[in-house]
Amino acid sequence: MDKKIGIIACIIVILAIVGVAAYSGVFDGESKVVNDDKTLVVGFDAEFPPYGYKDDNGDYVGFDLDLAQEVCDRNNWTLVKQPIDWDAKDSELDSGSIDCIWNGFTMDGREEQYTWSDPYFDNKQVIVVKNGSGINSLSDLKGKNVETQKDSSALAALQGDQKSLADTFGNLVEVADYNTAFMDLESGACDAVAVDIGVAHYQLNSKNNTDDFVILNDNISSEQYGIGFKEGNTELRDQVQSTLDEMFKDGTVDKIADKYSEYDIKDSLIRK
């Protein structure tokens, strides 16, 4: 009887060790983020170039992530680049899983929902079509199939101030990400994509033939980007803002923007 009890006890101990190890990420290859005063966890959409995306090496890169890295370097913080489900961004922020949302994040219409940094980027919403499609203006979109990313600024514009324009479309389709939208545009599954100007330039310049797509001259809308912190978290906001102000003043922001010059990043910066 004692021997059986000993065996059972050993099994219980082993199961407990396995459970703890699995919880801590030993067996799934992941380590849990320790979010403390020396760590800045930035939530971002991993498919939103050139602000945040995964490069050919599998690394997370982008203009906003580069800014965040410099802010962390100057404050002796560790940057954790945390890709998130964009639909779950508020719950991630409220739970403390992330410290801020920094990824081409639109302030307009969300002013009371977050504690914001100063706006640092003026973003336009545009329409991209295939070259030679015969669509040369917004009025030419009548009866056409237009795609945009779910929960995007372009969608907000087409459901808001530009609803009368959207009502002329044959269909306005929401897709999971802009990579899908541009593949649909290339294949002919849709006629146009409503998108941020920076993302539009990224998509055009990442193609082998940059003349395949064109951006219409007429904008849908314009908006401002900021860094969104949990409402009331003014202490962290102020520290990040102070560092970002220094980076604007000493030219570091411009140098980072130069890396993305083909995407019109520098021309859209908001300077104090």
Side-chain angles (χ1 to χ4, degrees), residues 6-22 27:
I7 292 173
I8 292 172
C10 289
I11 292 173
I12 292 173
V13 171
I14 291 171
L15 289 174
I17 293 172
V18 169
V20 171
F27 290 103

Side-chain angles (χ1 to χ4, degrees), residues 53 60 134 156:
Y53 59 101
Y60 293 120

Side-chain angles (χ1 to χ4, degrees), residues 238-256:
D238 291 347
Q239 184 61 47
V240 171
Q241 184 64 60
S242 176
T243 308
L244 195 58
D245 289 344
E246 293 173 1
M247 290 163 54
F248 266 104
K249 187 175 181 180
D250 65 22
T252 301
V253 173
D254 283 338
K255 290 179 181 178
I256 294 174

